[in-house]
Amino acid sequence: MGYRIENKTNELLIYDTDTKSINYYPKTDLKVSASEGNVLLTNGNQTIINDDVSKIDLPAFNGLYDLVTTIHGYISTQSPDGFSGGWADYEDVATTGSPIAVTASPTVLTNDGLGVDTNTSYLPVGGNGITQLWDTSSSGFDFSDLEVGDMVDIRMDITMIIASNNTAVDVDLYMGSGGSVVVPFISQQNFKSTGSFEVIRYMGIYIGSEDVRDNLAQLKVSADNNCTCTVHGWYIKAIRRG
């Protein structure tokens, strides 16, 4: 028999490798100590673990003292307001070689997520977890793993390639069914001269309804003069309640 322990924001995850069962225990109810050479972890009157150090998988800790004090540090550290979070970074490759044609009609900013700097290792894992925040096949932000009331920050990094002087550019985030909720990222930014201009914008939004949560959100670009655009990528931070 053995146990794997993972530290979450307000819970400990205990994986029993013998029974192949996983349980989440609120930290407020847990106590840890050492008894007769064993690690003793209790949840109220329930004994969760009473076993030798060798049976517990918590890497980089040596001996009973280190293990018990480390677990005690886990259960003593909680988020008082019940928030947890994580992030991902999606870097595009395709538009570098084939820029997006931009016209007066809003056009979706695509991102294939194939860049070397794409990183999804730090998505939020508390509660039911988040498997992705961006759908590369549909080029849309995927909020389906979030809950109403959660928050998302997005940093957009693009390059506008302007072909005509005094070109005004808009970039908006369309959310909800049919893009019914519109959040402006760039509003009528005027590029006075031709050339390539990197544009970075950081915007915070919230999941205000099931409609916003359950439908892909897309960034769309438009301009009053024809031009092109390349996508470097976006960093996305999700903050969860509870």
Side-chain angles (χ1 to χ4, degrees):
M1 178 180 291
Y3 302 92
R4 178 177 175 181
I5 299 174
E6 293 185 15
N7 184 31
K8 307 301 183 183
T9 304
N10 291 315
E11 300 171 310
L12 278 192
L13 180 156
I14 309 293
Y15 173 44
D16 187 324
T17 59
D18 184 48
T19 62
K20 307 298 183 185
S21 60
I22 297 175
N23 290 289
Y24 292 85
Y25 296 95
K27 293 180 179 180
T28 53
D29 300 328
L30 296 176
K31 291 184 178 180
V32 65
S33 61
S35 177
E36 298 180 351
N38 284 352
V39 175
L40 179 62
L41 182 66
T42 58
N43 181 34
N45 295 324
Q46 176 190 8
T47 298
I48 302 170
I49 297 176
N50 185 4
D51 223 323
D52 184 77
V53 171
S54 63
K55 302 294 182 65
I56 299 173
D57 179 12
L58 198 60
F61 299 100
N62 298 313
L64 182 64
Y65 178 84
D66 281 353
L67 193 56
V68 170
T69 54
T70 298
I71 296 173
H72 182 267
Y74 285 171
I75 64 180
S76 299
T77 304
Q78 304 175 55
S79 173
D81 51 8
F83 286 91
S84 62
W87 59 271
D89 198 334
Y90 299 88
E91 183 186 25
D92 181 68
V93 171
T95 61
T96 301
S98 301
I100 298 167
V102 180
T103 65
S105 178
T107 301
V108 173
L109 289 175
T110 58
N111 185 337
D112 58 20
L114 296 178
V116 295
D117 290 327
T118 291
N119 190 339
T120 59
S121 299
Y122 300 99
L123 290 166
V125 294
N128 61 357
I130 294 176
T131 59
Q132 67 174 357
L133 287 168
W134 176 253
D135 185 338
T136 57
S137 63
S138 300
S139 284
F141 295 97
D142 185 348
F143 302 139
S144 60
D145 286 335
L146 296 171
E147 300 293 342
V148 175
D150 290 345
M151 295 156 282
V152 178
D153 292 342
I154 300 171
R155 184 186 67 210
M156 176 194 72
D157 186 353
I158 63 175
T159 290
M160 296 302 307
I161 305 162
I162 304 300
S164 302
N165 293 340
N166 296 312
T167 295
V169 174
D170 290 279
V171 177
D172 297 304
L173 179 67
Y174 290 79
M175 303 188 298
S177 178
S180 56
V181 179
V182 181
V183 177
F185 272 57
I186 301 174
S187 295
Q188 290 290 302
Q189 180 171 342
N190 185 47
F191 295 89
K192 295 182 178 181
S193 59
T194 62
S196 297
F197 303 90
E198 185 173 15
V199 181
I200 298 174
R201 291 291 186 274
Y202 194 94
M203 182 67 65
I205 62 173
Y206 59 88
I207 309 304
S209 67
E210 292 181 359
D211 181 54
V212 168
R213 180 194 65 194
D214 296 338
N215 289 277
L216 288 178
Q218 292 184 312
L219 284 167
K220 296 184 180 182
V221 59
S222 60
D224 60 357
N225 291 313
N226 291 349
C227 55
T228 57
C229 172
T230 61
V231 173
H232 302 295
W234 14 88
Y235 154 79
I236 313 167
K237 177 174 71 175
I239 304 172
R240 311 203 66 171
R241 297 182 69 252

